[in-house]
Amino acid sequence: VTKDKMACPPERNVLKYFYEVTNGNDWAAKEGWLDEYRNPCSTPMWYGLSCDNSLSVTGIRLEGNGLFGTFPVNIFSLLKLQEFNVADNNLFGMIPDLGEVANNLKVLNIAGNQLSGSLPPSLNNFTLLQELLVHENRFTGTFISNNLKRITADCGIPYFH
């Protein structure tokens, strides 16, 4: 077993699972996502990813790309993830409690899906989260944030505080 990050990146399994549970074979763009033997951050990077110099995934931007399925909570196990944008897709169901995962997340854009239920209070564990875009879903209830600078709710009107 190798610990070489180029040969066997830890993010790869998380990303492959994400691809499978969101019906990746039917995504509009999926370059690189089917190559199991290449680091997601090596050149050329897998479609929609951004990475840092240590070859860790820092961003996932797959808005309007035909994702379909339940919300892929495991994606927050990517420890250096700063932006997760899956707006305008067909993700559905509830977002379960996220526990103590996401760490460096600054932007979470899940607008324009079919997500429902309440936003989990554990989103407040994401202490660096600055933007939460959740409009055009079916969320109910109230979400109180301690640290957000911008949130857009189902009305789609930005709220700054």
Side-chain angles (χ1 to χ4, degrees), residues 1 3-4 18-19 29 36 39-40 49 65 72 85 88 90 93 100 105 111-112 114 127 135 143 145:
V1 175
K3 292 188 179 202
D4 179 3
F18 170 74
Y19 179 87
E36 292 191 29
N39 186 306
L49 299 185
N65 200 43
N85 183 344
D88 301 321
N90 290 301
E100 297 290 331
L105 195 67
Q114 300 171 41
T127 56
H135 57 280
F143 178 73
S145 171

Side-chain angles (χ1 to χ4, degrees), residues 5 21-22 35 37 41 48 52 57 59 63 65 71 73-74 90-91 104 110 119-120 134 159-160:
K5 191 163 175 140
V21 301
T22 59
D35 186 351
Y37 303 103
C41 293
D52 64 13
V57 176
E63 64 274 6
N65 200 43
F71 190 81
V73 175
N74 78 314
N90 290 301
L91 299 177
N104 292 307
I110 54 176
L119 290 173
V134 298
Y159 171 73
F160 300 91

Side-chain angles (χ1 to χ4, degrees):
V1 175
T2 181
K3 292 188 179 202
D4 179 3
K5 191 163 175 140
M6 279 303 288
C8 191
E11 290 93 350
R12 188 174 64 211
N13 289 338
V14 172
L15 293 167
K16 295 302 273 185
Y17 178 77
F18 170 74
Y19 179 87
E20 291 168 8
V21 301
T22 59
N23 209 24
N25 287 332
D26 291 332
W27 290 1
K30 56 188 171 215
E31 292 80 18
W33 285 80
L34 301 176
D35 186 351
E36 292 191 29
Y37 303 103
R38 192 169 57 81
N39 186 306
C41 293
S42 64
T43 305
M45 279 187 275
W46 294 10
Y47 177 81
L49 299 185
S50 56
C51 301
D52 64 13
N53 290 336
S54 68
L55 301 178
S56 293
V57 176
T58 58
I60 298 174
R61 293 181 205 96
L62 294 168
E63 64 274 6
N65 200 43
L67 282 67
F68 178 85
T70 57
F71 190 81
V73 175
N74 78 314
I75 207 69
F76 297 120
S77 66
L78 297 173
L79 298 178
K80 293 192 177 181
L81 188 65
Q82 296 176 18
E83 179 181 0
F84 184 59
N85 183 344
V86 290
D88 301 321
N89 282 291
N90 290 301
L91 299 177
F92 53 85
M94 297 174 61
I95 300 176
D97 183 74
L98 302 172
E100 297 290 331
V101 288
N103 39 34
N104 292 307
L105 195 67
K106 295 178 182 176
V107 177
L108 176 59
N109 187 349
I110 54 176
N113 282 284
Q114 300 171 41
L115 298 166
S116 59
S118 298
L119 290 173
S122 56
L123 278 173
N124 275 314
N125 295 339
F126 300 4
T127 56
L128 298 178
L129 188 64
Q130 297 174 3
E131 293 187 35
L132 175 63
L133 296 98
V134 298
H135 57 280
E136 297 179 24
N137 279 292
R138 298 177 184 152
F139 291 119
T140 59
T142 302
F143 178 73
I144 298 172
S145 171
N146 302 323
N147 53 310
L148 287 172
K149 292 184 179 169
R150 179 174 181 232
I151 183 170
T152 60
D154 282 330
C155 59
I157 299 171
Y159 171 73
F160 300 91
H161 69 278

